[in-house]
Amino acid sequence: MTTVRPTLTQPTPPGPRPVPSFAVISGAQVQKALEGREKQIVEVVEDTYRLHGAGESVNPPSSFLRFPDRPSSRIIALPASIGGQTRVDGLKWISSFPPNVAAGIPRASAVLILNNYDTGYPFACLESSIISATRTAASAASAADWLSRGRLRPTRVGFFGAGLIARYIHTFLEGTGWSFEEIGVHDLSAESAAGFRLYLEQRGTTGRVTVHNSAEDLIRASDLVVFATVAPQPHVDEVSWFAHHPVVVHVSLRDLAPRILLASTNIVDDIEHCLRASTSPHLTEQLTGNRNFLDGTLDDVMAGRVTVPADRPAVFSPFGLGVLDLAVGKYVYDEVVRSGELQIVDDFFHELRRYG
């Protein structure tokens, strides 16, 4: 017997469908399903990149809801569909309101809707700020690993931006086998930098933790640089700061001036997605009039189609793909089902007869 791997183009098998159910998965359940499973989640993310690279996904451009009276805030819709063995459709709806931080609540909040691949019915709503941070951190850890191959593995990491995403990325680096002799921290908020330093020290990290007063000091002192800010436009433009050729994980996408990218090897998660919305790669394309500065995607690196040289900075700029949220969300859903703790909303779908 031959097993046929499902693809996006396979027709829906005939036959009756069960009455759809709908579940709600809380942030506490999400965290429980993901905690301590960094290696497994990185594998999920890498498998999803491979599916996406093979064309077994649908990942339309994200839609941005912006507000004239609140220019720093936005809500983003990321629809997507994954084929392969995951077979799920869905939507992440994530808000970013930086003023929340001063009010004592997280900047970002999100929900993830999972839709049945065959019927289109939504079958779960998950708290998704944790899922979003997790897939971002897993992507960053994967990129740090792959871009470091072929050069001395970094032993000094620097975090530019000391919020929740930085904390998750540190957790994923540590959880996938990284150890550092030195950990640098820089943030425009002294309170945030001090808070992240305290977190690292209380976690018992073996590396020496240093808060740097300037971006230059942080970058020059780091072999692996993580940008996790909310910068709306480039603010780092001195090429000489990167003369030691670090690996740069540019998850916040808008920190680096085009001249930095033009002096680096540039890897993205998806070319079309990354070259939009005034990201640093998008600005570089507008400046040069071409995409020659891009070397490929992380999937290209994993597949060996692109080699990352050690004689220049290597920059990973991930736009953040909705398919990653779906894959991690489906992982969480399956774990909650296995735990026997799935919370079904009774009669969520009520009109199920065509003529009453």
Side-chain angles (χ1 to χ4, degrees):
M1 178 180 294
T2 302
T3 301
V4 179
R5 189 179 189 184
T7 68
L8 290 175
T9 57
Q10 277 192 303
T12 301
R17 298 286 178 203
V19 175
S21 63
F22 188 78
V24 174
I25 298 178
S26 70
Q29 290 177 297
V30 171
Q31 190 169 59
K32 181 180 178 181
L34 294 174
E35 198 165 27
R37 299 180 181 180
E38 290 83 14
K39 291 181 180 179
Q40 295 96 314
I41 300 305
V42 167
E43 290 176 0
V44 168
V45 164
E46 291 183 349
D47 287 345
T48 304
Y49 276 138
R50 293 185 179 99
L51 279 173
H52 183 66
E56 294 196 55
S57 68
V58 179
N59 204 109
S62 303
S63 296
F64 289 73
L65 177 61
R66 299 185 184 276
F67 314 98
D69 60 330
R70 293 159 287 167
S72 69
S73 301
R74 63 191 182 185
I75 308 179
I76 311 173
L78 289 83
S81 174
I82 309 176
Q85 296 179 346
T86 306
R87 299 184 82 240
V88 67
D89 309 324
L91 172 77
K92 179 174 75 170
W93 181 239
I94 181 166
S95 66
S96 174
F97 278 54
N100 285 352
V101 176
I105 60 176
R107 171 187 61 84
S109 58
V111 293
L112 176 68
I113 300 296
L114 299 180
N115 292 72
N116 182 278
Y117 194 88
D118 295 317
T119 67
Y121 269 82
F123 62 87
C125 175
L126 298 83
E127 195 286 329
S128 197
S129 65
I130 296 171
I131 290 172
S132 186
T134 295
R135 64 85 151 148
T136 300
S139 172
S142 174
D145 175 32
W146 284 97
L147 271 61
S148 296
R149 300 184 184 191
R151 65 175 72 201
L152 291 176
R153 192 168 175 88
T155 59
R156 305 177 301 165
V157 63
F159 290 91
F160 196 139
L164 181 140
I165 297 299
R167 172 163 66 86
Y168 267 76
I169 292 175
H170 174 265
T171 297
F172 265 78
L173 288 171
E174 195 175 63
T176 52
W178 288 81
S179 61
F180 300 100
E181 297 172 2
E182 297 181 28
I183 301 176
V185 180
H186 175 68
D187 197 288
L188 296 181
S189 165
E191 182 180 357
S192 294
F196 190 42
R197 177 179 186 170
L198 180 62
Y199 159 77
L200 292 169
E201 292 173 343
Q202 290 179 337
R203 189 176 175 88
T205 182
T206 56
R208 181 181 65 181
V209 182
T210 302
V211 174
H212 294 276
N213 293 324
S214 73
E216 179 181 0
D217 289 346
L218 176 86
I219 294 167
R220 288 187 183 276
S222 305
D223 308 312
L224 172 61
V225 184
V226 176
F227 283 93
T229 75
V230 291
Q233 59 192 19
H235 55 96
V236 175
D237 63 359
E238 184 51 64
V239 175
S240 65
W241 296 357
F242 299 84
H244 56 301
H245 307 146
V247 171
V248 180
V249 180
H250 186 207
V251 298
S252 40
L253 278 176
R254 295 171 179 85
D255 301 273
L256 302 178
R259 61 188 299 188
I260 304 294
L261 300 192
L262 292 173
S264 305
T265 298
N266 291 285
I267 304 298
V268 298
D269 52 359
D270 180 282
I271 292 174
E272 295 299 328
H273 282 76
C274 202
L275 295 179
R276 66 177 72 241
S278 297
T279 64
S280 294
H282 186 203
L283 296 178
T284 306
E285 179 190 33
Q286 292 176 328
L287 176 67
T288 62
N290 60 63
R291 300 178 174 182
N292 296 339
F293 65 95
L294 291 178
D295 294 271
T297 66
L298 187 57
D299 177 55
D300 290 329
V301 175
M302 293 191 297
R305 293 185 293 269
V306 170
T307 300
V308 180
D311 60 353
R312 61 192 336 223
V315 179
F316 176 59
S317 300
F319 193 81
L321 301 178
V323 289
L324 300 184
D325 296 282
L326 287 188
V328 175
K330 184 59 164 54
Y331 177 93
V332 169
Y333 178 85
D334 291 342
E335 288 299 311
V336 174
V337 169
R338 276 192 281 272
S339 74
E341 298 177 356
L342 190 67
Q343 302 174 32
I344 300 294
V345 179
D346 294 331
D347 299 321
F348 186 84
F349 298 107
H350 184 64
E351 279 282 9
L352 296 174
R353 295 184 179 183
R354 191 169 193 179
Y355 299 110

